[in-house]
């Protein structure tokens, strides 16, 4: 999962500077110019992110037989449910129906009522969890830079121990500052930076995995994954295998922004849904090939010892400067990604507060602008409190793999499977009790079981880690 800036394609109406009806779409907005290729690029940019770093560990838990097969299965399910979600961009007629601009708009138009509230709660809870995960990931990458330089200078056998807590605090301070920039997530070049950074560290991880495999003289690992014994009990093997499902699901998560990407595609013919389905096929296939390479080569390089973060677990020590570049790219990426995911939550709370207490001077009063920063007492207090809370939780639970697995598990079924299926059933009038309806419900039920099991695996691993971890010890 990666940061994304708004998916606004350049429009001719902006170049002409006019309001001519012929240069506007049916909803009055500037004409969209997106194609199957631009939509594919947006999806690939949105999908490939820090989740790729845990795939070698996930495959190590499952082995050569089940690991790649599970990854392919997730790819097929996500592709299929994405095609269902694409059908919900327009309400009613697939060519001339009312457009839905966001995932929540689609849920509101198709399902309404309590399900809109449920969807919003899940989305915002997921954003809170992502903020914690990004704080952990950024801090361990900053720590890894220090340790890589230490290992290079003092040798690989030196402990080079250090705490991640100062780096979490540093990351939190940076996010407090950036959170005061209005519409930070709307900056046009943000998605370009995110794409460059994510491909940089993902490619470095892949290259180092290939180099290590060559140095080993062959592939490591086994058909069934990490072996029972040598510190791994049968129960731990089960929990870790289930957590691996969550890690893979997290790496593929992008359904929450699919509607926004679809909103960049030019008006029919062909319909936006048809174009989006083709873009989804191209992007999921491309991403799966890349994920297979990164995950499998990481497992081939380290076997059962594959770390939960390929670039910070120190399977690699040299070239240390290349590890530094990869980890700098991760930090730069996550600094922006944190804001992109949290700004919608910030805006939601601020809008709710303004509507609830319209006469409050504390909420309404603007303190003015200082350079790119737009300051108000409430915004400064609320956003600082949010960043403080996510930083404290990250310091309490600094377990990258477990948090990634839990986030993937919790968000996979409701956002990737349940809501798209329910919206599609309403949108296309799938008759209750029909073969098509039964098959869709069976898919939803199966994915629910997978999500619950994966969440249980991640929670069990967190509980196990907490038994030996002292809070705030880093």
């Amino acid at each position: 999962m990666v940061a994304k800036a708004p998916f606004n394609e350049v429009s001719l109406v902006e170049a002409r500077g006019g309001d001519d009806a012929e240069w506007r779409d049916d909803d009055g907005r500037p004409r969209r110019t997106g194609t199957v290729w631009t939509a594919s690029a947006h999806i690939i940019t949105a999908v490939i992110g820090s989740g790729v770093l845990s795939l070698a560990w996930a495959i190590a838990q499952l082995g050569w037989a089940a690991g790649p097969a599970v990854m392919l299965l997730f790819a097929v399910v996500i592709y299929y449910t994405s095609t269902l979600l694409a059908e919900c961009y327009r309400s009613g007629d697939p060519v001339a129906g009312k457009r839905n601009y966001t995932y929540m708009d689609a849920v509101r138009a198709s399902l309404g009522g309590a399900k809109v509230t449920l969807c919003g709660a899940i989305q915002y809870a997921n954003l809170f969890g992502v903020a914690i995960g990004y704080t952990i990931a950024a801090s361990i990458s900053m720590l890894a830079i220090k340790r890589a330089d230490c290992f290079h200078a003092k040798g690989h056998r030196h402990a080079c121990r250090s705490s991640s807590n100062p780096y979490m605090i540093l990351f939190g301070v940076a996010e407090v500052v950036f959170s005061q920039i209005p519409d930070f997530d709307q900056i046009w070049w943000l998605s370009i930076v995110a794409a460059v950074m994510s491909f940089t560290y993902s490619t470095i991880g892949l290259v180092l995995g290939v180099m290590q495999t060559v140095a080993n003289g062959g592939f490591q690992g086994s058909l069934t994954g990490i072996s029972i014994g040598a510190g791994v009990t049968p129960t731990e093997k089960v929990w870790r295998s289930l957590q691996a499902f969550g890690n893979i699901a997290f790496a593929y998560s992008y359904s929450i922004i699919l509607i926004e990407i679809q909103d960049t595609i030019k008006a029919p013919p062909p319909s936006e849904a048809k174009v989006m389905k083709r873009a989804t096929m191209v992007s999921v296939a491309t991403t799966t090939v890349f994920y297979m390479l990164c995950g499998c080569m990481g497992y081939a390089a380290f076997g059962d010892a594959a770390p939960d973060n390929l670039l910070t677990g120190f399977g690699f020590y040299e070239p240390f400067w290349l590890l530094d570049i990869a980890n700098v790219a991760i930090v730069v990426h996550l600094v922006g990604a944190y804001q992109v995911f949290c700004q919608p939550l910030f805006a939601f709370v601020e809008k709710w507060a303004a509507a609830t207490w319209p006469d409050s001077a504390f909420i309404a009063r603007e303190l003015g602008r200082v350079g790119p920063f737009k300051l108000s007492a409430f915004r400064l207090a609320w956003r600082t409190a949010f960043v403080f809370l996510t930083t404290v939780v990250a310091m309490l639970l600094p377990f990258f793999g477990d948090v990634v697995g839990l986030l993937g598990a919790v968000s996979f079924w409701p956002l990737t499977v349940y809501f798209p299926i329910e919206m599609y059933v309403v949108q296309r009038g799938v008759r209750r009790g029909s073969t098509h309806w039964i098959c869709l419900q069976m898919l939803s039920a199966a994915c629910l079981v997978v999500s619950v099991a994966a969440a249980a695996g991640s929670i069990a691993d967190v509980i196990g880690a907490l038994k030996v971890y002292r809070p705030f010890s880093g």
Side-chain angles (χ1 to χ4, degrees), residues 19 49 72 79 113 135 143 160 170 245 260 277 310 322 351 441 469:
D19 294 324
L72 279 174
Y79 164 71
T135 302
L143 177 61
C160 291
L170 179 62
F245 281 60
E260 291 184 53
K277 288 176 183 179
L310 196 59
L322 192 59
K351 184 177 179 181
Q441 298 309 313
Y469 173 75

Side-chain angles (χ1 to χ4, degrees), residues 121-133:
I122 293 170
Q123 280 198 46
Y124 292 129
N126 185 58
L127 294 179
F128 180 75
V130 166
I132 295 168

Side-chain angles (χ1 to χ4, degrees), residues 104 114-128 345 348 415 419:
M104 280 291 289
K115 289 184 179 179
V116 177
T117 303
L118 176 62
C119 180
I122 293 170
Q123 280 198 46
Y124 292 129
N126 185 58
L127 294 179
F128 180 75
L345 178 56
F348 170 78
L415 299 178
F419 283 114

Side-chain angles (χ1 to χ4, degrees), residues 239-398:
W239 290 133
R240 291 184 183 185
S241 297
L242 293 176
Q243 183 189 331
F245 281 60
N247 287 39
I248 294 170
F250 180 83
Y252 271 110
S253 300
Y254 78 99
S255 59
I256 195 171
I257 56 170
L258 184 142
I259 296 291
E260 291 184 53
I261 297 175
Q262 194 166 344
D263 192 45
T264 68
I265 297 172
K266 61 185 177 182
S271 71
E272 297 93 350
K274 289 183 178 179
V275 175
M276 196 63 190
K277 288 176 183 179
R278 291 201 294 270
T280 299
M281 177 175 288
V282 170
S283 55
V284 171
T286 303
T287 303
T288 300
V289 169
F290 189 71
Y291 278 3
M292 283 286 191
L293 287 171
C294 291
C296 291
M297 292 313 302
Y299 183 43
F302 300 112
D304 290 355
D308 67 350
N309 185 319
L310 196 59
L311 294 174
T312 64
F314 287 96
F316 308 111
Y317 290 93
E318 302 290 343
F320 79 100
W321 56 268
L322 192 59
L323 283 171
D324 287 353
I325 291 173
N327 281 299
V328 166
I330 293 172
V331 174
V332 171
H333 176 203
L334 295 181
V335 166
Y338 185 104
Q339 291 300 319
V340 167
F341 277 94
C342 292
Q343 290 268 352
L345 178 56
F346 292 158
F348 170 78
V349 170
E350 287 154 16
K351 184 177 179 181
W352 170 81
T356 305
W357 299 287
D359 300 324
S360 172
F362 174 70
I363 294 173
R365 185 184 175 191
E366 293 287 341
L367 301 179
R369 297 189 73 106
V370 180
F373 304 100
K374 186 178 180 182
L375 303 177
S376 80
F378 176 68
R379 188 182 302 115
L380 182 62
W382 143 241
R383 296 188 179 194
T384 300
F386 177 88
V387 175
F388 175 80
L389 180 59
T390 58
T391 303
V392 169
V393 175
M395 293 168 69
L396 282 169
L397 302 170

Side-chain angles (χ1 to χ4, degrees), residues 397-459:
L397 302 170
F399 314 122
F400 175 76
D402 299 329
V403 171
V404 164
L406 185 59
L407 287 172
V410 169
S411 63
F412 171 67
W413 176 71
L415 299 178
T416 302
V417 180
Y418 173 74
F419 283 114
I421 285 178
E422 293 302 303
M423 286 190 287
Y424 176 81
V425 166
V426 173
Q427 178 77 2
R428 290 289 168 260
V430 179
R431 185 172 55 83
R432 187 180 184 87
S434 65
T435 303
H436 190 189
W437 183 88
I438 292 172
C439 290
L440 289 173
Q441 298 309 313
M442 289 175 63
L443 173 62
S444 181
C447 291
L448 172 60
V449 171
V450 170
S451 276
V452 171
S458 296
I459 292 170

Side-chain angles (χ1 to χ4, degrees), residues 66-345:
V70 169
M71 199 176 294
L72 279 174
L73 185 60
F74 269 95
V76 170
V77 170
I78 286 166
Y79 164 71
Y80 178 67
T81 57
S82 295
T83 63
L84 301 184
L85 185 56
E87 294 280 358
C88 303
Y89 170 63
R90 287 183 182 267
S91 298
D93 189 276
V95 175
K98 181 182 177 297
R99 297 174 186 264
N100 296 304
Y101 303 114
T102 65
Y103 190 99
M104 280 291 289
D105 287 345
V107 173
R108 187 176 292 107
S110 297
L111 303 177
K115 289 184 179 179
V116 177
T117 303
L118 176 62
C119 180
I122 293 170
Q123 280 198 46
Y124 292 129
N126 185 58
L127 294 179
F128 180 75
V130 166
I132 295 168
Y134 283 176
T135 302
I136 297 169
S139 68
I140 62 176
S141 285
M142 287 188 275
L143 177 61
I145 294 171
K146 179 180 179 180
R147 294 188 68 202
D149 295 347
C150 174
F151 285 131
H152 178 72
K154 299 181 179 180
H156 301 170
R157 294 189 178 184
H158 195 278
C160 291
R161 291 193 180 92
S162 187
S163 171
S164 62
N165 286 344
Y167 299 103
M168 290 191 189
I169 294 170
L170 179 62
F171 183 81
V173 170
E175 295 306 336
V176 168
V177 173
F178 284 122
S179 70
Q180 303 307 312
I181 300 177
D183 300 324
F184 186 90
D185 56 325
Q186 307 290 318
I187 298 174
W188 66 269
W189 46 260
L190 202 59
S191 61
I192 298 174
V193 173
V196 172
M197 294 299 106
S198 60
F199 276 103
T200 296
Y201 62 73
S202 299
T203 303
I204 289 174
L206 173 59
V207 170
L208 289 175
V210 172
M211 291 170 58
Q212 185 66 43
T213 302
V214 172
N216 293 340
F219 283 29
Q220 296 195 31
S222 65
L223 286 176
T224 57
I226 191 167
S227 303
I228 295 172
V232 179
T233 66
T235 302
E236 288 174 334
K237 166 73 173 178
V238 172
W239 290 133
R240 291 184 183 185
S241 297
L242 293 176
Q243 183 189 331
F245 281 60
N247 287 39
I248 294 170
F250 180 83
Y252 271 110
S253 300
Y254 78 99
S255 59
I256 195 171
I257 56 170
L258 184 142
I259 296 291
E260 291 184 53
I261 297 175
Q262 194 166 344
D263 192 45
T264 68
I265 297 172
K266 61 185 177 182
S271 71
E272 297 93 350
K274 289 183 178 179
V275 175
M276 196 63 190
K277 288 176 183 179
R278 291 201 294 270
T280 299
M281 177 175 288
V282 170
S283 55
V284 171
T286 303
T287 303
T288 300
V289 169
F290 189 71
Y291 278 3
M292 283 286 191
L293 287 171
C294 291
C296 291
M297 292 313 302
Y299 183 43
F302 300 112
D304 290 355
D308 67 350
N309 185 319
L310 196 59
L311 294 174
T312 64
F314 287 96
F316 308 111
Y317 290 93
E318 302 290 343
F320 79 100
W321 56 268
L322 192 59
L323 283 171
D324 287 353
I325 291 173
N327 281 299
V328 166
I330 293 172
V331 174
V332 171
H333 176 203
L334 295 181
V335 166
Y338 185 104
Q339 291 300 319
V340 167
F341 277 94
C342 292
Q343 290 268 352
L345 178 56

